Amino acid sequence: MKNILIASTSTIHGSGYLEYLLEELETFFKSASSILFIPYARPSGISHDDYTKKASEAFSKINKKVIGIHTYENTSEAVEKAEAIFVGGGNTFVLVNQLYKNNLITALSDAVRNGTPYLGTSAGSNICGLTMNTTNDMPIVQPPSFKTLGFVPFNINPHYLDPDLNSTHKGETRETRIKEFHAFNSQPVVGLREGSWLEVKGKTITLKGKLTARIFEQNKNPFEMEPETLLNDLK
Amino acid sequence: MKNILIASTSTIHGSGYLEYLLEELETFFKSASSILFIPYARPSGISHDDYTKKASEAFSKINKKVIGIHTYENTSEAVEKAEAIFVGGGNTFVLVNQLYKNNLITALSDAVRNGTPYLGTSAGSNICGLTMNTTNDMPIVQPPSFKTLGFVPFNINPHYLDPDLNSTHKGETRETRIKEFHAFNSQPVVGLREGSWLEVKGKTITLKGKLTARIFEQNKNPFEMEPETLLNDLK
């Protein structure tokens, strides 16, 4: 049974790395003593070692050991044998490129569909959707495909941001970008605000956190969804 | 001799489409009575016809006729024979995908290197750089390659935006994104603020407009460049 936590962000304003989620994660990872960390998204170009250290420090507070996947010779086997998996944020293009390069798409799909708990934040959440086409990241490398893990039958837009009505900047708003996405793609998009997450337990998908999420479907007006609402029918 | 105008944006706050540039464009396009418009980037998913109409309306003020490339059977020939070319903004992924699909990369390169005046705004400016890896756009379609026209020996980041120091949002700042780009790529990036443009005359590249531009080079601290500075040595 799938057991997944898809978080908009690792960090909310005024709080430490993963701090706002830690209580939730204690329950989520209760059956695991160690967590396999996938640091490939490398926020700000941080090294795999340094990023793993950062994750370790956060998880030490709930007595979990964190091991970086880059320390394994056989990364597919590491995924297969992991007690739990955490894919951190950073650049989604870099993350997806590295997952394809290391042939990890199938290994991750299999492990998570077999019940290995999976936590994603930001880029690590993006890849839980059908494709990475609704990432906010800069395309700094070119992955072989934009197809991602499809743990949920829609796309994720993490760090969802409402239009700033006072802005004088002419770059596209997030809503406009997602509207453009729907000129070429039919799957729904869930705009997850910072502090929100999706909980996936088997076939049940629930919006968690204190904020509403914004749901975008092709040829429909976007709407707000309240916390604790089920998203099982969104596809 | 190359004759190119690479604008950060088509529109600045409080002014109409292309309005702030119109005087400049009258000189820039003085030898052309008609302009071939490439509407492929489709901002907000607008149709090719509607986008061409918008460009026509702006250029009618300086007595230029605008013809959309989508109205030609043979688009390469249309580029080859064009008196002048304008590539409008929108989504860079959609634009680049369509240019590859229609085999227009070589036709555009040849025409512009032979002296056909080229105006790009936003996505149309992004593609003047070596690659589209520093676009701000959402990857809503997957082009076969991120390689672009390379009219200048660096990358462009249009709509360059300074970090908002009061923001509580945890998405990456533009500067962080470009730093991440330089973890994987070596070419410089020119952050062009809205209202700025680069003028390319043969081998001379000049920053125009009233604002400074922010220059990012790998393993160096970014710096500001004043208007009227030459960028000939940036590579």
Side-chain angles (χ1 to χ4, degrees), chain B residues 93-128:
Chain B
F93 293 86
V94 175
L95 169 60
V96 170
N97 194 43
Q98 197 66 34
L99 290 178
Y100 275 102
K101 220 167 160 177
N102 293 7
N103 280 312
L104 286 176
I105 300 287
T106 311
L108 277 169
S109 287
D110 290 351
V112 173
R113 286 184 171 86
N114 287 331
T116 309
Y118 175 105
L119 165 67
T121 60
S122 192
S125 292
N126 246 315
I127 64 172
C128 295

Side-chain angles (χ1 to χ4, degrees), chain A:
Chain A
M1 190 185 89
K2 282 189 291 191
N3 187 19
I4 308 171
L5 206 154
I6 301 172
S8 173
T9 183
S10 61
T11 314
I12 57 172
H13 181 66
S15 133
Y17 185 65
L18 290 176
E19 203 177 315
Y20 81 102
L21 261 183
L22 225 45
E23 207 182 306
E24 185 73 23
L25 293 179
E26 201 161 7
T27 312
F28 183 72
F29 285 131
K30 66 178 181 297
S31 63
S33 62
S34 77
I35 298 166
L36 179 71
F37 180 53
I38 302 188
Y40 293 157
R42 298 182 57 194
S44 301
I46 191 176
S47 73
H48 293 154
D49 276 343
D50 287 349
Y51 198 12
T52 304
K53 202 174 148 208
K54 188 176 172 180
S56 291
E57 281 165 10
F59 277 104
S60 72
K61 293 172 193 157
I62 55 168
N63 301 309
K64 306 291 178 193
K65 198 180 157 191
V66 169
I67 309 162
I69 194 169
H70 62 290
T71 62
Y72 289 89
E73 188 95 12
N74 186 332
T75 51
S76 300
E77 196 182 80
V79 166
E80 210 178 293
K81 293 187 171 169
E83 289 180 65
I85 296 165
F86 169 34
V87 181
N91 185 289
T92 309
F93 293 87
V94 176
L95 169 60
V96 170
N97 194 43
Q98 198 65 36
L99 291 179
Y100 274 102
K101 220 166 159 177
N102 293 7
N103 280 312
L104 286 176
I105 301 287
T106 311
L108 277 170
S109 287
D110 291 350
V112 173
R113 286 185 170 87
N114 287 330
T116 308
Y118 175 106
L119 165 66
T121 60
S122 192
S125 292
N126 245 315
I127 64 172
C128 295
L130 292 172
T131 71
M132 56 167 284
N133 293 61
T134 48
T135 177
N136 310 307
D137 296 334
M138 196 173 257
I140 59 178
V141 299
Q142 187 177 9
S145 171
F146 286 175
K147 198 165 176 283
T148 48
L149 299 164
F151 294 148
V152 289
F154 44 78
N155 269 29
I156 305 287
N157 180 250
H159 301 282
Y160 182 74
L161 199 58
D162 292 293
D164 175 357
L165 300 175
N166 295 317
S167 173
T168 59
H169 190 255
K170 291 291 178 177
E172 293 86 349
T173 64
R174 193 65 60 80
E175 186 151 334
T176 300
R177 293 171 191 275
I178 297 173
K179 189 181 165 193
E180 290 179 358
F181 169 80
H182 276 141
F184 297 92
N185 302 271
S186 60
Q187 67 263 42
V189 179
V190 174
L192 270 183
R193 294 190 174 84
E194 293 182 344
S196 295
W197 66 93
L198 298 180
E199 179 195 88
V200 184
K201 300 268 182 206
K203 290 182 176 170
T204 303
I205 310 171
T206 315
L207 175 63
K208 294 285 185 177
K210 290 179 192 135
L211 304 171
T212 59
R214 195 155 182 85
I215 311 294
F216 301 85
E217 294 176 280
Q218 198 182 30
N219 304 325
K220 292 188 190 170
N221 286 327
F223 66 95
E224 293 292 319
M225 181 174 272
E226 293 296 322
E228 300 301 326
T229 306
L230 299 185
L231 289 82
N232 301 359
D233 295 331
L234 191 70
K235 59 188 80 170

